[in-house]
Amino acid sequence: MELTVTKHATCTFCGCVCDDIELHSDGTRVVETKAACILGKSWFLNHDVVRHYPDALVDGQEATLGEAIEAAANYLYEADLPLVYGLSNTTCEAQRQAVTLAEMTGGIIDSHTSL
Amino acid sequence: MGGKPSCTLGEIRNRADFLIYWGGNPAECHPRHFTKYSLMPKGKFTPNGRKDRTMVLVDIRETASAKAADIFLQIRPGKDFEALTALRSIVKGKRVEESAVVETGLTMEQLNDLATRMKKAKFGVIFFGMGLSMTRGKHMNSAAAMTLAAELNAFTKFVAMPMRGHGNVTGADVVVRYHTGYPFGVNLSRGYPRFNPGEFSTVDVLVRGDNDATIIIGADPGATMPQPAIDHLASTNTIVLDPKVTHTSRLSKVHITTAATGISAPGTAYRMDEIPMTLRPPLKSPYPTDEEVLRRISEAVARKAAWYPTPEALMAAV
């Protein structure tokens, strides 16, 4: 595989969010990091884009993405008080969508801050 | 900044000559914090780097960060609020009882010295970690640290900043704040936002069993939360979005695999000083991003009738 170099990559492991990291990747995984700390290095080296897991699981059985989305929407819609939680290992764009979802379903939205 | 007496890490790098780390271990948890932002760098008004700065570490035990500190203050566990309150009094020149100081595990001399150094600093910072904000007193401890920093501005420039853990937890605060007016623990069930930590915060909601469905984005409470909370997640309808099949996925009704943020999913993440950073993912994931999945779930919900009385529905009923 061809080696690609990503300069000024941003690490999202801890709250420092260092944005001066150089990453060398072979298309499926990061093979080398420059300027990253020990935590950032293990964060980048321990993720790849191989299909280790099914697209989705519904009741423990493999399902398509569309089926899982429909099931999730039904559960949240039918709930009297849904809770939207997590949000720290994701992007701000996804967080915005999460707020929309919480408002639409009349739920509670909360993050790791409250832990 | 949500009313906090805060600043950016760049200002600290260029100006701060007095640093207090309270209840945190940056040497092991934020390894580049010292070298990139706070203690070591040579800045515009700190041209000699480390030599221009004084660092104080307040913690319950001597961690790896103590080696970097000029002064290490070992505080008794759970006495942070008392110590901060005593410091606030000393800074204001009020009399503090010896007995009130003794219970914190520190001495009057240590607190007096610290208060003097804080007032003499040109630009001081209190970085507080989870050792302060997640122990006895919780958000009241954070409030005490920020109040101390705010009050010190009567004498010199002083700021307080939380040492945030997980990557984009600051972003979660910022995004929820600019949408609802509150940073976390927001209840939208009445159609307008209500904020009450302790009532609408996740652990409390789950342990009391208030909610009847949960969607978890990039978190694994099944591995970290108290057992009654996990039992409630397992007995109600739980949905998980995560790059991996986690403990929580195994006890939930729906799991959707998503791309890993910053590695195979693009977007924005906030640094602990509330500066947004663009992510530059080096890889392309076979899975959709959290953003796409959440948007499609919202669209699926939007196709159903609104749960609240819409003007159209009210007019039709007349």
Side-chain angles (χ1 to χ4, degrees):
Chain A
M1 261 316 253
E2 201 181 328
L3 192 75
T4 52
V5 177
T6 311
K7 291 199 169 172
H8 313 297
T10 311
C11 170
T12 52
F13 183 79
C14 81
C16 286
V17 193
C18 298
D19 61 340
D20 57 350
I21 292 163
E22 187 176 312
L23 298 173
H24 296 193
S25 58
D26 64 1
T28 46
R29 57 174 55 76
V30 176
V31 292
E32 200 191 330
T33 61
K34 283 186 182 169
C37 69
I38 183 163
L39 300 175
K41 187 172 178 178
S42 68
W43 165 252
F44 281 115
L45 297 187
N46 282 316
H47 282 86
D48 56 33
V49 287
V50 181
R51 254 176 200 278
H52 292 292
Y53 304 101
D55 280 345
L57 297 169
V58 176
D59 295 322
Q61 305 297 312
E62 283 193 32
T64 64
L65 181 61
E67 286 163 359
I69 284 172
E70 210 51 51
N74 282 334
Y75 284 136
L76 294 171
Y77 178 73
E78 281 159 17
D80 289 324
L81 185 68
L83 167 68
V84 182
Y85 171 70
L87 303 176
S88 41
N89 292 318
T90 191
T91 59
C92 293
E93 289 76 1
Q95 288 161 353
R96 288 184 63 180
Q97 294 297 334
V99 179
T100 307
L101 186 60
E103 186 171 11
M104 241 182 207
T105 53
I108 293 175
I109 186 158
D110 191 31
S111 70
H112 281 114
T113 304
S114 75
L115 263 186
Chain B
M1 302 292 262
K4 288 197 290 285
S6 194
C7 69
T8 65
L9 288 168
E11 281 179 82
I12 291 167
R13 179 192 169 100
N14 281 304
R15 294 169 193 271
D17 63 341
F18 189 72
L19 313 164
I20 302 176
Y21 284 90
W22 196 305
N25 182 8
E28 286 177 313
C29 302
H30 299 86
R32 295 185 75 202
H33 201 267
F34 285 151
T35 50
K36 194 161 183 265
Y37 303 116
S38 60
L39 190 61
M40 311 305 281
K42 291 177 178 168
K44 189 168 182 186
F45 300 102
T46 51
N48 304 313
R50 178 68 181 92
K51 289 193 196 81
D52 286 336
R53 304 182 207 263
T54 308
M55 175 185 155
V56 180
L57 178 71
V58 185
D59 210 339
I60 56 164
R61 61 176 167 269
E62 207 169 327
T63 59
S65 302
K67 283 191 203 79
D70 297 301
I71 300 167
F72 171 63
L73 301 176
Q74 188 159 5
I75 193 168
R76 197 169 286 163
K79 293 292 175 190
D80 306 272
F81 185 82
E82 287 80 350
L84 285 164
T85 310
L87 263 176
R88 282 178 56 201
S89 294
I90 295 169
V91 164
K92 284 182 169 173
K94 300 215 170 117
R95 199 168 65 85
V96 177
E97 294 292 338
E98 186 80 38
S99 59
V101 174
V102 170
E103 66 162 341
T104 64
L106 306 172
T107 64
M108 193 63 111
E109 289 71 46
Q110 285 174 318
L111 285 188
N112 278 328
D113 176 58
L114 183 57
T116 312
R117 285 173 186 272
M118 285 166 117
K119 284 201 221 175
K120 276 193 183 155
K122 283 190 207 135
F123 188 120
V125 194
I126 304 171
F127 290 110
F128 55 96
M130 306 240 287
L132 182 72
S133 58
M134 299 293 160
T135 50
R136 180 178 162 263
K138 295 197 109 180
H139 56 275
M140 292 306 290
N141 290 346
S142 315
M146 286 192 226
T147 313
L148 173 63
E151 287 173 355
L152 275 160
N153 280 278
F155 306 94
T156 182
K157 172 77 182 170
F158 228 96
V159 298
M161 191 183 290
M163 297 285 285
R164 306 310 298 270
H166 300 277
N168 196 21
V169 64
T170 315
D173 284 12
V174 172
V175 172
V176 175
R177 199 169 68 208
Y178 73 59
H179 278 287
T180 69
Y182 304 110
F184 62 93
V186 182
N187 186 337
L188 296 153
S189 66
R190 285 191 189 163
Y192 58 87
R194 288 180 296 154
F195 171 65
N196 196 6
E199 185 180 7
F200 305 138
S201 34
T202 302
V203 178
D204 307 275
V205 168
L206 291 177
V207 168
R208 284 195 310 265
D210 284 355
N211 67 319
D212 51 354
T214 314
I215 180 164
I216 297 162
I217 302 118
D220 192 8
T224 53
M225 279 199 177
Q227 196 57 44
I230 297 171
D231 292 342
H232 185 68
L233 284 174
S235 64
T236 52
N237 299 324
T238 302
I239 301 140
V240 174
L241 270 57
D242 204 281
K244 295 186 166 138
V245 174
T246 61
H247 287 282
T248 319
S249 309
R250 293 202 183 87
L251 50 86
S252 62
K253 292 275 196 320
V254 180
H255 163 90
I256 300 175
T257 313
T258 54
T261 302
I263 291 171
S264 48
T268 315
Y270 275 76
R271 204 164 71 182
M272 62 169 76
D273 55 349
E274 303 190 358
I275 299 293
M277 300 290 194
T278 305
L279 304 178
R280 292 184 182 81
L283 302 171
K284 206 169 159 44
S285 176
Y287 302 111
T289 61
D290 290 328
E291 183 193 359
E292 185 193 332
V293 173
L294 285 168
R295 192 181 60 243
R296 286 179 60 182
I297 294 174
S298 296
E299 284 165 1
V301 172
R303 284 195 289 272
K304 302 171 192 293
W307 60 275
Y308 49 86
T310 59
E312 294 76 23
L314 287 173
M315 290 307 288
V318 172

